[in-house]
Amino acid sequence: MTMYPIKKIRSDFPILNRIINQHPLTYLDSAAAAQKPNIVIDAQAHYYRNEYAAAHRGIHTLSAESTDQMEIARLHIANFINASREEIVFVKNTTEAINLIANSWGHNFTNYGDNIILTEMEHHSNIVPWQILAKNRKIILNYIPLTSSGTLDISSLSKLINHRTQLLSISHISNVLGTINPLIEIINIVKKKSDALILVDGAQGIAHQPVDVQKLDCDFYIFSGHKIYGPSGIGVMYGKKKLLQKMPPWIVGGGIVQNVSLIQDTTFIESPWKFESGSPNVGGIVGLDKAIAYVKTIGIDKIYAHEDQLIHYATNILQKIPGLILYGPKSMRSSIIAFNIGTHHSYDVGILLNQYGIAIRTGHHCAIPTMNYFKVPGMCRASFAMYTNKEDIDRLAHGLTKVQCLLNQQ
Ligand SMILES: Cc1ncc(COP(=O)(O)O)c(C=O)c1O
């Protein structure tokens, strides 16, 4: 078996050379935003230096090149998740994709008394758009409950499904607990009892697990570019072709029309382009294309195996620190580890760790219902990526021991 090329990978991410507060950067906040390899940074710079123009707008060379780059990227992204090109919609991020679905599909295909199933571990972006839809369309939201081990109580799912269930919207991986949800098992249960659509929020899944939308048989799979080593401001919504064809555009305006008249209804172009109104973020798309190519070169299976080793290594070390409370499941857990030091506020821990150059995420992680379940105002979260190494985790453990001493002295 070939060794995981961690040294080479780390050398591809220039930011990892930063010194923060006189310490080498220990970046453990990749679940919030993954760092970018040179290939992504260079591709974007090259595009802006040499090829930049408005895509889908002009007939001149630069515009045609921009359009080509965008459409080639669409094909590569489709291949990456085993979809077809017409099923890939470019959006700003995961949040925008969920809002698109809630507003386009939700407002047109749900009715009074229908219900939608979410889970108690969702990010706010996968709760709030549905709450607004539920209020407007008078539909009911039900939640698959969390368990104290940080997994979903799947035994209670069957009871939530009935012939009025229109959608299950569920995260692939919890952004707080790292739980890898057993999607195939859950989707099978839903499909046996209803014709509900399945939306998978892949914000935390896409960079850490192989994704095959055919195997999952999901109707939507969505993710943000910035969590898979791509630029901010670009994301992807996969939707089954037939479904996208039925759905009306949501954000409307230029670039997506067949005809506009002052007296008749506007007619729109085909999907996926009818969902991409306004000037597209081609620079972002170029960067995302390269980020996905980079992930493919390393191999998503290898990345998963590397991160899985790190999770076991980190759990073993961290659980030896007295007073440290770990949250989340013991197995089927991705590259995220959430904890608190006794009752100390996560902000205090995060600020002190930053003094040692250690970047973690603190607070409620846009998942207040999850915090409420565990009866805490916030948690500390260390999250890993393909470039994280054991030294990062050793530095975290060492830093936490020092932080604990400091906090306990107060
Ligand atoms: C599970 C999950 N869903 C949705 C989002 C929202 O992603 P974005 O802010 O890129 O729209 C996040 C961001 O952290 C997330 O972790």
Side-chain angles (χ1 to χ4, degrees):
M1 225 174 71
T2 50
M3 290 269 289
Y4 185 73
I6 185 72
K7 267 199 178 151
K8 162 79 177 77
I9 292 173
R10 286 182 71 85
S11 72
D12 287 339
F13 288 81
I15 208 166
L16 298 179
N17 295 321
R18 277 282 310 262
I19 299 292
I20 306 273
N21 296 325
Q22 289 91 54
H23 293 270
L25 168 65
T26 301
Y27 189 74
L28 295 170
D29 197 19
S30 296
Q35 296 299 349
K36 319 301 168 203
N38 280 321
I39 189 174
V40 170
I41 301 167
D42 294 346
Q44 280 202 290
H46 179 86
Y47 171 71
Y48 283 117
R49 284 211 178 91
N50 302 290
E51 291 157 346
Y52 175 77
H56 290 306
R57 293 287 189 280
I59 51 154
H60 59 79
T61 301
L62 290 183
S63 178
E65 283 176 2
S66 284
T67 307
D68 285 352
Q69 297 247 30
M70 187 172 166
E71 295 310 317
I72 287 167
R74 198 188 302 274
L75 185 63
H76 291 159
I77 292 163
N79 290 340
F80 185 58
I81 60 170
N82 197 16
S84 70
R85 192 171 83 94
E86 304 81 40
E87 296 176 313
I88 301 297
V89 178
F90 287 116
V91 288
K92 213 165 56 184
N93 48 34
T94 306
T95 304
E96 186 178 76
I98 300 178
N99 277 274
L100 192 167
I101 299 163
N103 282 281
S104 169
W105 170 82
H107 275 271
N108 289 282
F109 297 98
T110 60
N111 290 302
Y112 173 78
D114 284 344
N115 67 78
I116 284 179
I117 302 175
L118 307 174
T119 87
E120 281 183 3
M121 64 164 65
E122 296 311 308
H123 187 281
H124 297 162
S125 291
N126 196 24
I127 299 177
V128 183
W130 305 117
Q131 286 177 334
I132 291 174
L133 179 75
K135 204 166 171 197
N136 289 342
R137 305 285 297 175
K138 310 252 174 314
I139 61 177
I140 299 150
L141 298 184
N142 291 314
Y143 296 88
I144 308 177
L146 255 172
T147 67
S148 56
S149 63
T151 55
L152 292 173
D153 176 8
I154 297 169
S155 66
S156 55
L157 172 58
S158 282
K159 283 177 269 163
L160 302 177
I161 311 166
N162 57 41
H163 69 287
R164 299 297 302 274
T165 306
Q166 300 296 349
L167 178 77
L168 165 78
S169 189
I170 182 171
S171 49
H172 188 166
I173 291 174
S174 157
N175 68 309
V176 177
L177 305 163
T179 318
I180 304 171
N181 285 320
L183 289 180
I184 295 205
E185 183 188 347
I186 292 175
I187 292 172
N188 279 341
I189 297 173
V190 174
K191 295 217 162 176
K192 257 192 202 135
K193 289 197 73 176
S194 73
D195 295 324
L197 300 184
I198 310 289
L199 187 167
V200 180
D201 169 353
Q204 298 297 343
I206 193 71
H208 307 283
Q209 293 263 295
V211 173
D212 181 331
V213 292
Q214 311 285 336
K215 255 197 208 145
L216 281 177
D217 195 16
C218 58
D219 297 279
F220 300 106
Y221 190 99
I222 58 187
F223 61 92
S224 304
H226 66 99
K227 299 202 197 274
I228 183 166
Y229 315 103
S232 296
I234 188 70
V236 170
M237 178 183 95
Y238 156 80
K240 276 188 181 157
K241 190 171 170 184
K242 280 203 173 127
L243 191 55
L244 293 186
Q245 282 168 343
K246 277 199 318 197
M247 285 165 50
W250 170 47
I251 295 177
V252 288
I256 63 166
V257 299
Q258 261 168 356
N259 192 26
V260 179
S261 112
L262 297 182
I263 42 173
Q264 278 174 339
D265 281 351
T266 296
T267 51
F268 297 103
I269 58 173
E270 289 298 302
S271 52
W273 300 277
K274 72 178 177 193
F275 296 106
E276 296 175 355
S277 190
S279 302
N281 175 5
V282 185
I285 293 169
V286 166
L288 177 57
D289 190 18
K290 282 289 181 280
I292 286 177
Y294 184 76
V295 167
K296 280 173 95 167
T297 321
I298 309 296
I300 194 84
D301 289 316
K302 289 198 179 120
I303 294 171
Y304 172 67
H306 170 72
E307 292 171 349
D308 195 45
Q309 272 186 5
L310 290 180
I311 272 289
H312 286 104
Y313 184 73
T315 314
N316 269 336
I317 293 191
L318 295 190
Q319 70 192 3
K320 289 188 189 128
I321 301 177
L324 192 132
I325 305 155
L326 284 175
Y327 304 94
K330 291 207 161 53
S331 60
M332 288 310 284
R333 174 187 202 136
S334 179
S335 50
I336 288 172
I337 193 154
F339 57 89
N340 272 321
I341 297 190
T343 53
H344 294 296
H345 200 288
S346 61
Y347 289 162
D348 295 334
V349 178
I351 286 171
L352 289 170
L353 282 177
N354 187 49
Q355 296 308 309
Y356 305 112
I358 302 168
I360 61 157
R361 176 82 189 268
T362 54
H364 58 56
H365 309 281
C366 294
I368 294 177
T370 306
M371 298 302 124
N372 289 344
Y373 176 85
F374 287 99
K375 298 192 172 52
V376 290
M379 292 178 189
C380 302
R381 180 186 75 185
S383 54
F384 313 149
M386 63 155 90
Y387 43 71
T388 310
N389 62 11
K390 285 188 174 162
E391 288 74 54
D392 286 328
I393 290 160
D394 293 340
R395 285 201 288 262
L396 171 69
H398 190 59
L400 280 171
T401 311
K402 289 202 273 193
V403 165
Q404 195 178 36
C405 282
L406 285 171
L407 288 171
N408 288 344
Q409 274 166 18
Q410 288 177 342

